[in-house]
């Protein structure tokens, strides 16, 4: 299998605080992980691509200083939402690339962030 | 024009019916085609993964790709209430799947 976990599954925080979300590939090593954002009844929007040991690549319009990504190991990537505001409330989903040619991305269960 | 177009639904069918879900796309470079199922407040789960044109069957699910028409389909036979979810088509131009473009998803409801 290709199992990806996320923690926490749900978080509520006050405006102005920072929140860290972890994404782990449990049964494979992932040199590349991705972070998506999904608003209700909408599709996934790629925020950034995270490569182990190097800086993340952010999509146009995504603030890299606000959404800090760290991919310190082959099984762990973290997304930190800094100085969160209510408009950052969303469903954040990570995925991991298993790395084999012809393979695809495997998604975590998502983290629902609510900023009060 | 979006790169990938998918009817958002909702689509409601009775239990046991055959369901047909479709996507069209505009980028002829797409070679890899995927269908994901997403239950409410959960991450997407990979259902089918195909390369280039043709059919692929897995249990009650059949994926079809017609590159000449830039059209892909997912068929669900003997649909069950547990199939009720949002179905996302997705596609990529490279085998590394580092850039996947998703459709907007079709909400499917199977009535008991």
């Amino acid at each position: 299998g290709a199992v990806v976990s996320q923690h926490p599954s749900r978080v509520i925080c006050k405006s102005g605080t920072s929140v860290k979300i972890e994404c782990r590939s449990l049964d494979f090593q992932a040199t590349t992980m991705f972070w998506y954002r999904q608003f209700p009844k909408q599709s996934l929007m790629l925020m950034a691509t995270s490569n182990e040991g190097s800086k993340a690549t952010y999509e146009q319009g995504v603030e890299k200083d606000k959404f800090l990504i760290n991919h310190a190991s082959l099984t762990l990537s973290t997304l930190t939402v800094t100085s969160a505001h209510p408009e950052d409330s969303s469903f954040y989903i990570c995925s991991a690339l298993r790395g084999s040619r012809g393979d695809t991305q495997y998604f975590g269960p998502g983290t629902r962030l609510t900023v009060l | 024009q979006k790169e990938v177009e998918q009817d958002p639904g909702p689509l409601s069918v009775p239990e046991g019916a055959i369901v047909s879900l479709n996507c069209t796309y505009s980028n002829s470079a797409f070679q890899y085609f995927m269908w994901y199922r997403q239950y409410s407040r959960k991450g997407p789960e990979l259902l089918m993964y195909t390369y280039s044109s043709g059919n692929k069957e897995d249990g009650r699910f059949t994926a079809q790709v017609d590159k000449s028409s830039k059209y892909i389909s997912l068929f669900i036979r003997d649909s069950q209430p547990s199939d009720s979810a949002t179905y996302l088509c997705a596609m990529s131009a490279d085998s590394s799947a580092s850039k996947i473009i998703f459709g907007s998803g079709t909400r499917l409801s199977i009535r008991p």
Side-chain angles (χ1 to χ4, degrees):
Chain A
V3 182
V4 177
S5 70
Q6 271 184 252
H7 178 79
S9 59
R10 184 178 298 182
V11 58
I12 301 173
C13 69
K14 292 182 179 179
S15 185
T17 60
S18 294
V19 174
K20 180 185 283 188
I21 303 170
E22 293 186 349
C23 177
R24 293 181 185 272
S25 55
L26 298 185
D27 53 358
F28 65 99
Q29 293 185 329
T31 55
T32 306
M33 291 183 171
F34 306 84
W35 288 95
Y36 293 83
R37 186 172 179 175
Q38 187 177 35
F39 290 105
K41 298 183 181 180
Q42 294 188 26
S43 191
L44 287 77
M45 298 300 295
L46 179 64
M47 298 174 66
T49 301
S50 165
N51 290 294
E52 187 266 337
S54 63
K55 290 183 179 180
T57 303
Y58 291 81
E59 295 299 302
Q60 192 174 10
V62 178
E63 299 176 56
K64 63 180 181 181
D65 294 330
K66 180 167 184 63
F67 298 100
L68 300 179
I69 291 172
N70 183 274
H71 193 158
S73 78
L74 288 173
T75 58
L76 174 64
S77 176
T78 60
L79 168 69
T80 301
V81 184
T82 62
S83 186
H85 287 96
E87 56 266 30
D88 298 325
S89 298
S90 189
F91 194 50
Y92 292 87
I93 308 175
C94 73
S95 71
L97 197 56
R98 194 156 56 172
S100 302
R101 181 179 172 83
D103 211 338
T104 187
Q105 296 179 26
Y106 295 89
F107 287 83
T111 297
R112 181 158 303 282
L113 170 63
T114 302
V115 184
L116 303 176
Chain B
Q1 182 188 8
K2 292 182 181 179
E3 278 192 284
V4 179
E5 297 276 1
Q6 184 176 9
D7 187 336
L11 178 63
S12 179
V13 301
E15 183 176 356
I18 296 175
V19 176
S20 173
L21 304 168
N22 312 292
C23 287
T24 59
Y25 62 95
S26 58
N27 188 347
S28 58
F30 288 141
Q31 298 275 359
Y32 301 86
F33 304 90
M34 292 140 280
W35 285 96
Y36 287 88
R37 176 175 63 194
Q38 186 177 23
Y39 291 112
S40 181
R41 301 186 181 186
K42 299 291 184 182
E45 170 193 9
L46 180 66
L47 277 179
M48 301 289 281
Y49 177 67
T50 55
Y51 169 69
S52 196
S53 285
N55 295 357
K56 183 175 182 179
E57 187 174 322
D58 184 359
R60 296 185 295 112
F61 299 92
T62 300
Q64 286 186 352
V65 175
D66 182 349
K67 290 188 66 182
S68 62
S69 302
K70 296 189 179 67
Y71 188 87
I72 70 171
S73 300
L74 177 71
F75 297 95
I76 307 175
R77 291 185 299 281
D78 187 25
S79 55
Q80 305 293 313
S82 59
D83 295 327
S84 298
T86 296
Y87 289 80
L88 298 155
C89 65
M91 41 201 84
S92 174
D94 64 277
S95 61
S96 68
S98 58
K99 188 79 171 183
I100 293 180
I101 307 300
F102 286 89
S104 56
T106 299
R107 288 170 52 212
L108 173 66
S109 175
I110 309 297
R111 306 188 303 270

